[in-house]
Amino acid sequence: MNRLSQETIDFILSHRNDDVRQLALKINKKQDIDSEEAIVQIAGWQIAKKKIPSWAANDEIIYPKHLSMEQCSSEVTARYKSTLLKGDTMVDLTAGLGIDCYFISRNFNKVHYVERMDYLCNIAKHNFKTLGADNIEIHNDDCTEYLKSMQPVDCIFLDPARRNEHGGKTVAITDCEPDITKIENTLVEKGKTVMVKLSPMLDIHSALSELKFTDSLHIISVNNECKELVIVLKKESLHENNSHDETMINCEQITSNATSQHFSFTFEEEKNAKTIFAEKPGKYLYEPGAAILKAGPFKLLSSRYGVGKLHINSHLYTSDEMIDFPGRRFEVIETSSFSKKDLKTFLKDIANANITIRNFPSTVDDLRKKLKIKEGGQIYIFATTLNNGEKVLIKCKSIR
């Protein structure tokens, strides 16, 4: 933060944990500090503390305005992507704040950071120097123009802008800037490996159908929330007849304590898998993690882990012996129908519970009102449909 006055730096460091909105109302009275920049830095640090903790631990890091902080990758997802890439030379064509660029750069000898906003280039230059990332060279340029003239490299990384000219969020590949479908041929010519970060809301079948050179696809969830969809392109992975049945789909499910569950499959495996259906819930209940729910290997989960599926559309699994399942695990306490008699026994002494709907004709809010149960607590209730069509409630406790 050497571009700021010492008074401003001291103010930032002493007020970093304050409520930013309240602080903004009071800060204008301070004549000896850059109030606007102080608010930007405090707000940025508060986001970084959760999103990029190793950067937040360094008092010399400079943060950009809110939108760039909102759009940047988290440290945990950047670290995962860095495990997939290595080589001699790398180019990040849409580098932004430079989170992905920095973490991936540690696996390369020479890295080129490309960003068209000079404001972000200046911040990245300072931060990379502060972090000792001397192998990164800054280029203030448009990504498509840089791509045309650049020399071939081992790896190209890019995260297309997912906002339209009105600032609204976009999802489709063709609505992003740049449109990867238009430059895909050039990308695989210039990069031995190309990694593209896409919207976690994008349908994966749509992504695979629109890109010709997909080598693998990665769905990254953090604390059971899908955060990123990443596609790896390689020239030698050109798909005949646009078939992606053999493309490897990788589901990476990361938790807050940095542990991870990994599940990989192909659609060919899913097509050939046989589902085991359970007549009723056993001793243990399993809910696939968010990345797996996004990918949809629902038959394969049953056959690979030997667990019974409650219904073809319920996406809940069960067994009498506990297994290491890629998702949330629960011990079943009791199952109930919706008869008044069963419900009276089932709901006895339950004031609070966590309710989940899976293939059930109701919303969580409506069911909560009907059962007269408040949110939270140690009990989990799943409302679902069994294979025989019966609607049931399953009371569980979580297994950590």
Side-chain angles (χ1 to χ4, degrees):
M1 286 192 263
N2 54 8
R3 61 192 173 90
L4 301 176
S5 69
Q6 190 59 49
E7 289 81 7
T8 302
I9 293 172
D10 291 343
F11 182 88
I12 291 168
L13 295 177
S14 60
H15 291 275
R16 286 196 299 194
N17 290 298
D18 291 4
D19 183 288
V20 175
R21 285 172 294 185
Q22 293 295 322
L23 196 60
L25 297 174
K26 304 174 184 176
I27 199 171
N28 289 330
K29 299 176 183 178
K30 302 279 186 181
Q31 300 296 321
D32 55 346
I33 65 169
D34 183 337
S35 58
E36 184 178 345
E37 189 61 27
I39 290 297
V40 168
Q41 293 309 310
I42 291 169
W45 181 85
Q46 289 180 1
I47 295 173
K49 188 179 179 182
K50 297 178 181 179
K51 201 170 185 180
I52 327 160
S54 69
W55 284 30
N58 188 323
D59 290 343
E60 295 298 314
I61 294 292
I62 294 176
Y63 302 102
K65 293 174 183 176
H66 181 77
L67 182 60
S68 294
M69 290 299 297
E70 180 187 294
Q71 293 177 334
C72 75
S73 291
S74 67
E75 179 171 333
V76 69
T77 60
R79 286 183 183 277
Y80 172 71
K81 284 171 283 188
S82 73
T83 66
L84 307 175
L85 303 170
K86 63 180 179 179
D88 183 51
T89 52
M90 194 272 277
V91 171
D92 186 338
L93 286 173
T94 55
L97 180 56
I99 306 301
D100 287 315
C101 186
Y102 168 70
F103 284 101
I104 295 171
S105 74
R106 296 188 290 185
N107 296 335
F108 291 84
N109 292 321
K110 183 66 178 179
V111 174
H112 298 275
Y113 163 110
V114 182
E115 171 56 50
R116 63 184 173 187
M117 294 180 65
D118 57 355
Y119 161 69
L120 289 174
C121 289
N122 291 334
I123 290 176
K125 186 176 182 179
H126 167 89
N127 288 343
F128 292 153
K129 183 178 179 181
T130 297
L131 294 163
D134 300 326
N135 61 330
I136 304 177
E137 184 176 337
I138 306 290
H139 302 272
N140 184 194
D141 202 350
D142 176 79
C143 65
T144 51
E145 291 302 314
Y146 187 89
L147 178 64
K148 291 176 187 176
S149 59
M150 65 176 269
Q151 294 297 309
V153 292
D154 291 323
C155 175
I156 294 174
F157 179 87
L158 68 165
D159 177 6
R162 296 191 292 276
R163 288 185 182 271
N164 58 29
E165 63 271 21
H166 306 296
K169 291 185 178 181
T170 59
V171 173
I173 294 175
T174 52
D175 290 336
C176 294
E177 177 61 38
D179 178 353
I180 302 301
T181 63
K182 293 181 179 178
I183 61 172
E184 187 182 11
N185 288 341
T186 307
L187 286 170
V188 297
E189 287 291 341
K190 293 292 183 78
K192 291 179 184 177
T193 299
V194 179
M195 178 177 281
V196 184
K197 177 182 166 184
L198 299 169
S199 168
M201 302 298 293
L202 182 64
D203 177 75
I204 64 174
H205 294 280
S206 172
L208 292 170
S209 67
E210 290 187 59
L211 297 171
K212 301 178 293 186
F213 296 98
T214 304
D215 179 73
S216 61
L217 183 145
H218 301 257
I219 305 168
I220 310 168
S221 68
V222 181
N223 294 328
N224 217 30
E225 180 183 351
C226 273
K227 291 294 187 180
E228 294 185 13
L229 179 64
V230 175
I231 283 187
V232 176
L233 310 174
K234 292 185 179 181
K235 186 178 180 180
E236 62 267 26
S237 297
L238 178 64
H239 291 270
E240 303 265 344
N241 303 318
N242 204 29
S243 172
H244 291 273
D245 284 355
E246 297 297 334
T247 298
M248 188 60 68
I249 312 297
N250 300 280
C251 304
E252 195 70 20
Q253 303 184 141
I254 305 168
T255 60
S256 56
N257 61 6
T259 59
S260 185
Q261 296 174 322
H262 183 81
F263 185 89
S264 295
F265 73 102
T266 66
F267 289 123
E268 184 67 24
E269 286 181 289
E270 171 64 10
K271 285 179 181 178
N272 295 329
K274 302 295 183 183
T275 305
I276 305 165
F277 287 105
E279 292 184 8
K280 60 181 181 179
K283 291 182 180 179
Y284 300 97
L285 189 75
Y286 309 100
E287 181 188 38
I292 292 175
L293 287 173
K294 172 82 176 176
F298 300 126
K299 294 192 295 181
L300 189 59
L301 283 170
S302 176
S303 63
R304 188 178 288 185
Y305 290 94
V307 289
K309 200 168 191 285
L310 295 188
H311 184 280
I312 192 169
N313 296 321
S314 291
H315 310 325
L316 291 171
Y317 301 81
T318 189
S319 69
D320 285 326
E321 298 291 332
M322 189 174 69
I323 64 163
D324 187 12
F325 188 86
R328 296 199 296 172
R329 301 181 300 170
F330 301 88
E331 184 178 348
V332 175
I333 300 170
E334 186 181 357
T335 301
S336 172
S337 71
F338 277 81
S339 72
K340 288 185 178 180
K341 181 181 178 183
D342 283 355
L343 283 178
K344 186 177 181 180
T345 304
F346 184 85
L347 297 174
K348 187 179 179 182
D349 299 326
I350 299 180
N352 302 75
N354 305 281
I355 297 178
T356 299
I357 298 290
R358 284 283 179 262
N359 187 29
F360 188 84
S362 175
T363 65
V364 170
D365 286 343
D366 287 345
L367 185 59
R368 192 177 293 283
K369 290 175 185 175
K370 181 178 179 179
L371 300 178
K372 298 177 182 178
I373 294 175
K374 294 180 181 179
E375 188 176 356
Q378 302 300 311
I379 297 296
Y380 291 78
I381 294 176
F382 286 86
T384 191
T385 304
L386 299 182
N387 197 42
N388 62 7
E390 182 184 3
K391 306 292 188 289
V392 297
L393 294 175
I394 308 171
K395 186 195 304 181
C396 310
K397 60 181 180 180
S398 177
I399 300 172
R400 300 298 178 187

